[in-house]
Amino acid sequence: MGGEAYSNDITRIRQLNEIGIALSSEHNHDALLENLLTSARELTQADAGTLYTFDASKQQLSFAIVQNDTLNLRLGGLSEPVGEQFPLIDLYQADGLPNHHLVVAYTVLNDCTVNVEDAYTAEGFDFAGTRKIDQATGYRSRAFLTVPMHNHQGDTVAVLQLLNKRTASGIDGTFSSADQHIAESLASQAAVAITNHRLVDEMQALFDSFVRVIATAIDAKSAHTGAHCRRVPDATLLLAEAAHRSKHPEVASFTLTDEDRYEIKTAAWLHDCGKVVIPHHVMEKSTKLEGLFDRLPSIEARFAVKQQALKMAQLRAEFDAYRKDEAFTDVDRKRFVIDQLALQKQLELVRRSNTDGEFIDDIDIQRLKAIAQETWEDTNGQLQPLLTEDELDNLCVRRGTLNEEERKIIEGHVVATLNMLDELPFPKHLQRVPEYAGGHHERMDGTGYPKGLTRNQLSLPARMLGIADVFEALTAPDRPYKAAMKLSQALTIMGQMVEDQHLDPALFAVFIEEGVYLDYANQYLNECQIDTVDIDSLPGLRIT
């Protein structure tokens, strides 16, 4: 008899160790809780059981897992969610007194295991709720074994409660001291696993919040880029999911796990973090003449002075003619008017060239250079050029608003991004974040920056991020310096970028074929931007 008991103890200890190992290796929190309760019931031959989680900030217990073999009940964990029929349990009553009447609350308040042989005859505890459930189900709740679970700091994190020990005659047994010891040992091991999960979740939540803070700071720095850093992750993940399900031959082998999704999302959130080093006046340059201050008003003042000088010259000529009793003919007057109108047109050219939406051709550049050769007279009587050399250089920028020096500064944000991310000790599942985030300005032909990588040198997620970055920038409805672009126009531009070997052709095809652009548009674009897209006429879709 002694040998059999010893053998049973050895078996239970081995099972306890195996369960502990299994619990420590479980990555799914819901599965961990469910396996804990199931294992505890198996070790103690309990017919039913409940696992409660404890919220210390609210001093409340909530039903996490509920199991009952006799009633064929499985709630919580990976099973059907626990419903509202299982209310929260407060540790303290409305009058502020501790709730010692409920055994599970008593266990937490007194930090002790409670082993009740029969709930119907036990003194000191209120099992009215248990009796009510029994009446409704025909079940007979008898033995309760309630065990608190502690983290490494000794704080209660959960409560394990086992119900009705199975015997040869039914479910009328009581839990022995050996059962209690096994339950407490398992609860101790499981509490470590639960705590580890919580710590990992809390650290991940902290990291995610830190990432979002950086992205929010970048967006807040520039009123012109708005929510760019918040929208690009969604666009990137939409494209990644589309590639995951696509049958396109060039992405057919691409698959996504939850870790892959998290890594891509993190990279997308951080793709512009290097912009924190970009000077504000460069980052916010919405017109060509903006800098530390807007130079257009100064230029307009010069033109106004020169225009006034032309009018004064006309008046002097008229006065001289009058004084000499000579006629001031319409031809004479027209000569001055022509000069004044020409000056006005020159100012209009400067204003038009100053905006981002205009492409400056060679003819306009020559006209601007001619304007720079003209002079005006300052308050000291000195002749000054109508346009300075720096103003002329900026106005002659053919596309966009940035001159060559400023463009290099902006492009430097990717280098800064890589330098910043390289300093972070990313864990194994985030090792590729720098590569993904740092590749969104590379081009398929190797002419991009910062490393000049070609298509074959870039991972699919890095190429996805490049497409998402361009699409968001083109369609952003909240840029104050440009009108919201319609879908058809944005996709046409992107198709041209594919043909110019800037964007990946296979991923652009997936972007269109899987309707990623429309899914994104329905979430983020204004209704007026969502026009009909003639897919058959889009450039870039026939390139492989």
Side-chain angles (χ1 to χ4, degrees):
M1 192 70 176
E4 182 180 350
Y6 176 77
S7 177
N8 288 338
D9 288 342
I10 293 297
T11 299
R12 295 178 85 182
I13 291 173
R14 184 170 61 250
Q15 289 176 324
L16 181 63
N17 291 334
E18 291 173 351
I19 292 169
I21 294 171
L23 291 176
S24 64
S25 62
E26 177 58 63
H27 297 293
N28 186 299
H29 183 69
D30 290 334
L32 170 65
L33 298 182
E34 187 169 334
N35 291 342
L36 163 61
L37 182 56
T38 300
S39 300
R41 290 178 48 239
E42 289 175 353
L43 284 172
T44 59
Q45 290 84 52
D47 179 61
T50 302
L51 185 68
Y52 304 86
T53 54
F54 178 56
D55 186 339
S57 63
K58 298 180 179 179
Q59 293 291 289
Q60 289 179 328
L61 288 157
S62 58
F63 289 80
I65 312 290
V66 178
Q67 297 177 352
N68 190 305
D69 284 349
T70 298
L71 298 178
N72 193 27
L73 182 65
R74 290 287 187 281
L75 296 176
L78 301 179
S79 305
E80 182 183 343
V82 176
E84 296 181 358
Q85 68 268 32
F86 296 94
L88 296 171
I89 299 173
D90 294 311
L91 292 195
Y92 293 90
Q93 302 174 118
D95 58 6
L97 295 176
N99 185 7
H100 287 303
H101 301 294
L102 297 181
V103 64
V104 66
Y106 181 93
T107 295
V108 177
L109 289 167
N110 293 277
D111 193 23
C112 64
T113 298
V114 177
N115 192 341
V116 175
E117 292 187 359
D118 191 336
Y120 283 25
T121 60
E123 296 181 358
F125 296 115
D126 181 4
F127 284 101
T130 300
R131 288 174 176 268
K132 186 176 180 180
I133 294 174
D134 286 354
Q135 290 174 0
T137 61
Y139 193 72
R140 171 63 164 92
S141 299
R142 189 182 302 274
F144 279 79
L145 179 59
T146 310
V147 183
M149 300 170 62
H150 307 106
N151 63 16
H152 61 290
Q153 296 177 320
D155 301 322
T156 300
V157 295
V159 177
L160 171 65
Q161 188 173 73
L162 302 172
L163 173 62
N164 287 1
K165 183 179 177 68
R166 291 190 299 270
T167 65
S169 59
I171 55 171
D172 55 354
T174 59
F175 295 106
S176 66
S177 58
D179 292 329
Q180 179 174 328
H181 180 71
I182 285 290
E184 289 172 340
S185 297
L186 179 58
S188 179
Q189 292 185 56
V192 173
I194 291 173
T195 300
N196 287 340
H197 267 266
R198 283 190 176 181
L199 290 174
V200 169
D201 290 344
E202 288 170 359
M203 289 301 295
Q204 181 166 313
L206 177 63
F207 175 75
D208 290 345
S209 297
F210 177 70
V211 167
R212 287 193 293 271
V213 164
I214 293 176
T216 302
I218 296 298
D219 284 340
K221 182 177 181 181
S222 172
H224 293 162
T225 56
H228 176 76
C229 289
R230 296 195 294 276
R231 289 192 287 247
V232 167
D234 287 347
T236 306
L237 282 176
L238 284 172
L239 179 52
E241 293 291 353
H244 174 65
R245 64 178 180 265
S246 174
K247 303 301 180 184
H248 194 288
E250 293 199 43
V251 299
S253 62
F254 178 75
T255 58
L256 280 177
T257 65
D258 286 342
E259 284 193 348
D260 293 332
R261 292 179 176 89
Y262 182 67
E263 188 173 32
I264 292 171
K265 181 181 74 171
T266 301
W269 272 101
L270 291 171
H271 80 283
D272 270 349
C273 67
K275 283 185 176 178
V276 295
V277 305
I278 305 300
H280 183 74
H281 69 277
V282 177
M283 187 95 145
E284 287 290 276
K285 192 179 183 186
S286 60
T287 63
K288 297 175 185 178
L289 291 171
E290 282 187 2
L292 292 174
F293 63 94
D294 189 355
R295 287 163 287 189
L296 181 61
S298 296
I299 295 174
E300 291 173 332
R302 293 174 214 155
F303 273 82
V305 170
K306 188 174 179 67
Q307 189 71 267
Q308 189 65 29
L310 289 174
K311 291 179 179 179
M312 289 298 296
Q314 178 182 345
L315 289 174
R316 279 196 298 270
E318 290 180 0
F319 180 74
D320 287 345
Y322 173 78
R323 189 181 58 179
K324 296 176 181 179
D325 198 22
E326 297 176 353
F328 190 81
T329 66
D330 290 341
V331 173
D332 295 327
R333 185 174 290 105
K334 186 176 182 180
R335 177 169 52 85
F336 285 101
V337 171
I338 288 174
D339 289 341
Q340 293 168 22
L341 290 176
L343 187 65
Q344 183 61 38
K345 288 183 178 180
Q346 288 176 336
L347 180 57
E348 291 173 359
L349 174 61
V350 169
R351 287 170 172 163
R352 188 175 71 250
S353 302
N354 186 41
T355 61
D356 179 27
E358 287 294 321
F359 172 76
I360 305 300
D361 57 24
D362 291 338
I363 295 177
D364 283 342
I365 287 178
Q366 292 304 315
R367 289 173 178 168
L368 288 169
K369 288 181 178 180
I371 294 172
Q373 297 299 314
E374 297 196 25
T375 60
W376 67 289
E377 186 177 318
D378 65 17
T379 54
N380 295 320
Q382 301 295 316
L383 293 180
Q384 304 290 346
L386 265 181
L387 296 176
T388 67
E389 183 178 350
D390 179 66
E391 291 164 350
L392 177 62
D393 289 342
N394 278 276
L395 286 170
C396 289
V397 171
R398 291 184 183 271
R399 288 186 183 276
T401 63
L402 301 176
N403 60 40
E404 192 61 31
E405 180 182 356
E406 292 164 340
R407 190 168 298 281
K408 289 179 179 178
I409 292 174
I410 287 290
E411 290 177 358
H413 85 272
V414 185
V415 176
T417 293
L418 286 171
N419 290 338
M420 291 169 65
L421 297 183
D422 284 342
E423 290 296 318
L424 296 177
F426 285 106
K428 181 180 178 180
H429 66 290
L430 294 175
Q431 286 291 311
R432 295 171 293 186
V433 164
E435 189 257 314
Y436 295 168
H440 67 283
H441 282 299
E442 301 288 358
R443 295 178 176 177
M444 302 306 101
D445 60 0
T447 62
Y449 61 91
K451 296 182 178 180
L453 300 177
T454 63
R455 183 190 188 203
N456 292 335
Q457 293 173 302
L458 291 164
S459 64
L460 276 170
R463 286 179 263 163
M464 293 173 189
L465 187 46
I467 287 179
D469 186 65
V470 170
F471 183 63
E472 193 286 329
L474 290 175
T475 60
D478 50 8
R479 304 290 172 90
Y481 57 88
K482 70 180 185 70
M485 190 176 292
K486 293 182 181 296
L487 271 181
S488 58
Q489 182 184 0
L491 294 176
T492 298
I493 292 173
M494 292 176 69
Q496 293 167 347
M497 294 177 74
V498 170
E499 293 183 342
D500 292 337
Q501 299 186 63
H502 292 181
L503 298 178
D504 185 86
L507 287 175
F508 181 65
V510 171
F511 191 78
I512 300 300
E513 293 166 2
E514 296 291 332
V516 176
Y517 69 94
L518 199 53
D519 291 339
Y520 177 89
N522 289 329
Q523 291 184 54
Y524 292 111
L525 302 192
N526 296 328
E527 188 175 348
C528 62
Q529 293 178 262
I530 307 175
D531 60 347
T532 301
V533 178
D534 184 0
I535 294 176
D536 293 333
S537 67
L538 283 179
L541 287 179
R542 292 165 183 80
I543 299 175
T544 57

